[in-house]
Amino acid sequence: MAQGRQQKNLILILAREFASKLATPMFVVDAEGDLVFYNEPAEDVLGRSFAEAGEMPAEALPSLFSPEDLAGKPLSLEELPLGIAIVARKPAHRDLRIAGLDGRKRVVSVTAFPLFAHADELVGAVAVFWQPPGGETP
Amino acid sequence: MRARIWGCRGSIATPGPGTLRYGGNTSCVELRTRERTLIVLDAGTGIRLLGATLEAEPPATIHLLLTHLHLDHLEGLPFFAPLWSEGTELHVWGPPSPVRSLENRIARYISPPLFPRRLADVPARLSFHDVPKEEWMIGGVQILAHPVTHPGPTVGYRLTEDGRSLAYIPDHEPALGLNDLAAMPPEWLSGHAVATDVDILLHDAQYSAEEYPARVGWGHSTVDHAVTFGLSAGARHLVLFHHDPLHRDSDLEALLVSAAQRWGDGGTPPALAREGLTFELD
């Protein structure tokens, strides 16, 4: 396909529009795990708007959000629900702690699942996450 | 490459005095390549008229490219004369479904109780193909099929020969869920891959802006959406397609005035698709 005709996969376009209408924080990543969108409710959790942060490569996500389990052990990309959804191509859920882009630590519950355009064609994944009451830590 | 419109009405065939100038047949466009290969876009009721012109000199091979299987894009197929000739080799291309093959989905229509004959009774030699994910060639024409926003598996087509291109997206709702279609980066627009920088864009323009709010999610565009999408894609000539069955000729002409104003002074102004309209892409 010519460079000028590059377009996001339709499933990602629809996922972005779905996310943009939700009151629940949501991430959308492409098939490489690169973050291509997060919605306004997610901005409250992450501490920065998507317009400011923009798209992010997958390998940058752990360093940006410093994810760790509830005991404080750092989590690799492959241990995150989104990483599992992309690498293992299966849904995943866990509670974890992240540092928002504003520097504040928050406990979040994350559920991620892969997006298949066809049975054999992974085009990305979405993660829904929320902050339990009292989840923000200094 | 030469194109001719045989049907451009949306949803249901609409004969009568109110549709004489633009026609009442549902979607069908004939394409002839430089090599004289026949490619047909969709099998709405317009394909019956095309088939009648082929009876004197039927082509040995025909490629039918279906955007999707909603009835207004398929209902003419069993009335396409070459289908009932043993000498015809008909290749049918369409969007894949995760559930049923293209052949099985079409056979649901061409079988009792919806039709008196079965698809298996058809004497033409039929081949069914899911459209490839990558571009492919038919008769010297490069073809791209790309999924677009419309209920159910649906694609738009881009056909390119000798650097000239035509995009065909008759059923498309790129504005679904968007607050402002014009504000979206092009790579986030459904259909962008098909329509970018095309010479001719045949695009869904079913509704007026006033009609759309009651039909959000039905899979179609307003005339304004079509213009915005065409401008965003850099299409050189926008042809408004898939006219609403409730729109009489005079209604369409009023919508065209609005489209031309919105299009502005850049390039060829939009046109209304009509039966018999031809395009030369040489």
Side-chain angles (χ1 to χ4, degrees), chain B residues 185-208:
Chain B
E187 72 268 24
W188 280 103
L189 281 183
S190 164
H192 176 72
V194 170
T196 302
D197 296 329
V198 287
D199 293 291
I200 295 172
L201 169 61
L202 305 181
H203 193 275
D204 187 335
Q206 179 143 351
Y207 303 131
S208 68

Side-chain angles (χ1 to χ4, degrees), chain A residues 1-2 4-10 12-14 16-17 20-21 28 36-37 55 118 120-121, chain B residues 96 133 135 144 146-149 158 176-179 184 187-194 196:
Chain A
M1 187 184 300
R5 287 191 268 138
Q6 285 189 347
Q7 176 202 305
K8 306 290 187 190
N9 187 283
L10 182 63
L12 293 183
I13 291 175
L14 295 175
R16 175 185 173 134
E17 296 316 314
S20 71
K21 295 293 182 286
V28 182
V36 294
F37 182 70
E55 297 189 11
H118 303 285
D120 60 346
E121 185 185 6
Chain B
K133 294 171 189 167
E135 289 173 304
L144 170 68
H146 213 272
V148 295
T149 307
R158 180 189 184 99
L176 181 63
L178 300 180
N179 294 324
M184 285 303 287
E187 72 268 24
W188 280 103
L189 281 183
S190 164
H192 176 72
V194 170
T196 302

Side-chain angles (χ1 to χ4, degrees), chain B residues 2-261:
Chain B
R2 181 173 60 83
R4 177 183 172 131
I5 294 173
W6 290 93
C8 49
R9 186 64 53 175
S11 305
I12 190 168
T14 314
T19 60
L20 290 176
R21 289 198 289 282
Y22 301 96
N25 281 294
T26 60
S27 300
C28 181
V29 177
E30 171 192 7
L31 286 167
R32 292 284 186 168
T33 73
R34 184 183 298 281
E35 299 175 3
R36 301 294 299 159
T37 300
L38 173 57
I39 298 173
V40 183
L41 301 171
D42 276 335
T45 59
I47 201 172
R48 186 183 65 83
L49 303 171
L50 167 61
T53 69
L54 301 174
E55 286 190 291
E57 194 177 344
T61 303
I62 302 171
H63 292 269
L64 171 62
L65 276 56
L66 299 171
T67 55
H68 63 308
L69 303 187
H70 286 166
L71 208 51
D72 55 325
H73 295 256
L74 185 65
E75 62 191 324
L77 181 57
F79 303 95
F80 184 46
L83 196 69
W84 303 98
S85 166
E86 290 181 1
T88 301
E89 179 180 323
L90 179 62
H91 293 267
V92 183
W93 304 79
S97 157
V99 181
R100 288 185 174 85
S101 70
L102 181 63
E103 180 175 4
N104 284 344
R105 282 177 285 152
I106 292 173
R108 291 174 73 181
Y109 165 46
I110 305 180
S111 63
L114 299 181
F115 194 75
R117 305 290 298 276
R118 297 178 185 280
L119 188 61
D121 299 333
V122 167
R125 287 165 288 140
L126 303 180
S127 301
F128 296 88
H129 314 271
D130 288 345
V131 292
K133 294 171 189 167
E134 305 299 329
E135 289 173 304
W136 81 106
M137 301 290 290
I138 295 176
V141 172
Q142 190 173 19
I143 302 175
L144 170 68
H146 213 272
V148 295
T149 307
H150 188 69
T154 305
V155 295
Y157 288 103
R158 180 189 184 99
L159 301 101
T160 306
E161 185 181 52
D162 299 332
R164 304 296 302 279
S165 53
L166 178 145
Y168 176 69
I169 320 179
D171 292 50
H172 189 207
E173 190 177 6
L176 181 63
L178 300 180
N179 294 324
D180 184 359
L181 184 64
M184 285 303 287
E187 72 268 24
W188 280 103
L189 281 183
S190 164
H192 176 72
V194 170
T196 302
D197 296 329
V198 287
D199 293 291
I200 295 172
L201 169 61
L202 305 181
H203 193 275
D204 187 335
Q206 179 143 351
Y207 303 131
S208 68
E210 293 74 28
E211 291 165 335
Y212 182 66
R215 294 164 175 80
V216 171
W218 290 22
H220 298 291
S221 290
T222 67
V223 169
D224 290 351
H225 294 155
V227 170
T228 302
F229 178 81
L231 289 170
S232 175
R236 280 178 271 286
H237 184 34
L238 170 66
V239 179
L240 304 172
F241 201 90
H242 209 268
H243 307 311
D244 192 279
L246 294 175
H247 290 171
R248 300 164 61 91
D249 291 335
S250 55
D251 299 322
L252 296 178
E253 286 158 359
L255 289 169
L256 180 62
V257 171
S258 160
Q261 290 171 344

Side-chain angles (χ1 to χ4, degrees), chain A residues 38 45-49 53 56 64-65 99-104 106:
Chain A
Y38 59 83
V45 178
L46 297 174
R48 190 185 294 182
S49 72
M56 300 176 202
L64 280 171
F65 303 120
L101 295 170
D102 58 359
R104 301 181 75 93
R106 297 166 170 88

Side-chain angles (χ1 to χ4, degrees), chain A residues 44-114:
Chain A
D44 290 340
V45 178
L46 297 174
R48 190 185 294 182
S49 72
F50 182 72
E52 292 175 300
E55 297 189 11
M56 300 176 202
E59 56 272 19
L61 297 182
S63 60
L64 280 171
F65 303 120
S66 305
E68 58 189 34
D69 66 16
L70 298 185
K73 173 180 167 291
L75 296 172
S76 68
L77 183 63
E78 291 73 21
E79 294 173 299
L80 298 174
L82 263 176
I84 294 168
I86 290 293
V87 175
R89 300 185 170 203
K90 64 181 185 181
H93 175 88
R94 81 180 298 167
D95 293 344
L96 51 96
R97 186 181 290 112
I98 62 170
L101 295 170
D102 58 359
R104 301 181 75 93
K105 287 197 169 185
R106 297 166 170 88
V107 174
V108 291
S109 296
V110 182
T111 301
F113 57 89

